[in-house]
Amino acid sequence: MRPVLASLSYFSIFFAPFLLPVVVWFVSNDAYVRRHAGKALFSHIFPILAAIPMFYFMFTAQHPASILLYIILFAVIYFGSFLYNIVQGIRVLSNGGWPEPY
C-alpha cells in the first residue's frame, strides 16, 4: 500500500496537483510515504514559484522576443516538472516501496 500512496502523490499531477500530496503528507504516518508526498508537493509547486519572477520580467520586458523567451522557458520548466512526476511515480511503483539507495 505504501508504494501506491507514494506514487499516487506524483501521479496526482494529472488530476489533483496540489491537493492530494498535501492530504497524503498530513494524513500518512509512514515516513517513506510522507517523504515522497513532500517531494511531489514541491515538484507541483515549483513551476508556479518559477513563474512568478518570469511573469514579472515578461510584463516589464521591452523587447517582444524576450516575452517569447520567457514563455518558452516557463513551458520547459513546467514540462520538465510534469515528466519528473511521471518518472518518479513509475520509479516508486517499480521499486516496491523499498527505500532508494543513497
Side-chain angles (χ1 to χ4, degrees):
M1 185 65 167
R2 67 190 262 189
V4 173
L5 276 177
S7 66
L8 199 58
S9 296
Y10 291 111
F11 289 142
S12 70
I13 193 82
F14 292 111
F15 55 90
F18 177 74
L19 185 63
L20 188 68
V22 169
V23 169
V24 170
W25 192 41
F26 282 124
V27 171
S28 178
N29 56 3
D30 186 6
Y32 178 80
V33 175
R34 285 179 57 95
R35 182 168 45 102
H36 282 289
K39 286 181 180 181
L41 178 63
F42 179 74
S43 67
H44 294 177
I45 292 175
F46 179 73
I48 296 167
L49 293 177
I52 293 170
M54 278 194 282
F55 281 134
Y56 171 75
F57 290 124
M58 185 174 76
F59 290 123
T60 60
Q62 300 296 324
H63 197 273
S66 62
I67 294 171
L68 182 63
L69 178 69
Y70 288 123
I71 292 172
I72 291 171
L73 182 61
F74 176 72
V76 167
I77 289 173
Y78 189 80
F79 185 68
S81 174
F82 191 79
L83 283 180
Y84 171 79
N85 281 295
I86 294 170
V87 168
Q88 284 298 104
I90 293 170
R91 186 174 167 211
V92 168
L93 272 179
S94 67
N95 202 13
W98 296 100
E100 296 90 9
Y102 291 101

